Amino acid sequence: NAGVMQNPRHLVRRRGQEARLRCSPMKGHSHVYWYRQLPEEGLKFMVYLQKENIIDESGMPKERFSAEFPKEGPSILRIQQVVRGDSAAYFCASSSRHGGPDTQYFGPGTRLTVL
Amino acid sequence: AQTVTQSQPEMSVQEAETVTLSCTYDTSESDYYLFWYKQPPSRQMILVIRQEAYKQQNATENRFSVNFQKAAKSFSLKISDSQLGDAAMYFCAYRSARGETSGSRLTFGEGTQLTVNP
């Protein structure tokens, strides 16, 4: 049973370019969460999605960031017109249901570097 | 909003010894879950242990155990018989038990970097 998959593991973009980060949840999981970890800091919640629905995006920056989890395929975190402050590790987690003691299993993260 | 505080940025322990990592949190809720995650140099986030707030008994997973003090809003992690592979950043995390939206996000502390000396 494969774990949470994220790709790419490392992504380098120049300022103004777009970054697309992909997350495939564990088999049987329909809940996906995105977190961002800035250097030397803890993880910060960004968005919670279920298939075709954004449930909670209260942690997402208001501009340039968007997320989706289509009926088919991986969840995508999209950052438009990247700036140096977007450089961070982006982690995806999945669970089989919301709430409860159900564990969120994390992927290996995507490290985004903006030049 | 809930907050999680880890007051020890760094800790060190001798191999085979015991170390305790501290975590406090602030919440007005009565039902919630607490977690400790480990992040080794590979950056992978690994669940170490979890605790349901309604359970009085402290959770234990092999060499890892917690001291959950609900009234004090404290959730410390004890690692017994420390091993070199325990060296990592440890994060304490909180999750509400209510609702579909806020009951799902994890709120993390800033982390404690644990060094294990041979």
Side-chain angles (χ1 to χ4, degrees):
Chain A
N1 188 11
V4 179
M5 309 289 286
Q6 288 188 252
N7 67 81
R9 294 292 306 276
H10 300 274
L11 183 61
V12 179
R13 286 287 179 266
R14 297 191 179 279
R15 281 179 295 171
Q17 292 184 318
E18 178 179 287
R20 280 180 177 248
L21 288 61
R22 295 175 184 77
C23 169
S24 296
M26 285 181 69
K27 186 176 181 180
H29 287 191
S30 58
H31 302 259
V32 167
Y33 316 81
W34 285 93
Y35 295 85
R36 178 167 66 175
Q37 185 178 31
L38 296 171
E40 310 301 325
E41 294 188 10
L43 279 73
K44 296 291 193 293
F45 169 80
M46 299 181 74
V47 62
Y48 160 41
L49 311 102
Q50 296 178 21
K51 286 284 188 181
E52 300 184 281
N53 282 303
I54 297 175
I55 306 301
D56 179 6
E57 58 180 345
S58 58
M60 288 276 271
K62 293 290 185 283
E63 299 177 346
R64 301 186 299 107
F65 286 73
S66 63
E68 63 177 6
F69 189 17
K71 186 177 181 180
E72 300 291 336
S75 175
I76 305 289
L77 179 67
R78 182 184 179 202
I79 311 173
Q80 295 178 289
Q81 300 175 338
V82 296
V83 301
R84 288 205 174 130
D86 297 333
S87 294
Y90 292 82
F91 289 91
C92 168
S94 73
S95 68
S96 60
R97 60 188 172 98
H98 75 272
D102 197 44
T103 298
Q104 291 182 20
Y105 294 92
F106 282 80
T110 294
R111 185 181 296 273
L112 172 65
T113 301
V114 180
L115 302 177
Chain B
Q2 294 81 22
T3 59
V4 177
T5 302
Q6 294 179 249
S7 59
Q8 307 153 316
E10 298 176 348
M11 291 282 285
S12 63
V13 63
Q14 291 295 127
E15 196 175 4
E17 298 292 310
T18 296
V19 64
T20 298
L21 308 184
S22 301
C23 173
T24 58
Y25 56 94
D26 187 26
T27 184
S28 59
E29 299 175 336
S30 60
D31 199 12
Y32 49 86
Y33 307 95
L34 297 165
F35 305 82
W36 279 97
Y37 280 88
K38 167 184 176 181
Q39 187 178 45
S42 67
R43 308 281 292 185
Q44 176 79 48
M45 293 289 288
I46 303 166
L47 178 69
V48 175
I49 199 166
R50 69 183 182 203
Q51 174 82 42
E52 289 90 338
Y54 63 84
K55 289 186 177 180
Q56 293 186 335
Q57 187 173 5
N58 289 324
T60 298
E61 288 287 342
N62 301 314
R63 298 182 294 106
F64 298 87
S65 62
V66 299
N67 183 5
F68 173 47
Q69 301 290 328
K70 191 171 184 179
K73 297 179 182 176
S74 171
F75 183 60
S76 60
L77 174 70
K78 185 172 81 171
I79 306 174
S80 304
D81 186 24
S82 297
Q83 300 176 0
L84 295 177
D86 294 334
M89 181 73 85
Y90 285 81
F91 291 99
C92 178
Y94 170 103
R95 190 171 79 211
S96 170
R98 66 174 180 138
E100 183 173 84
T101 55
S102 60
S104 294
R105 72 172 72 176
L106 288 167
T107 299
F108 287 88
E110 295 301 308
T112 296
Q113 181 67 52
L114 178 66
T115 301
V116 181
N117 299 310

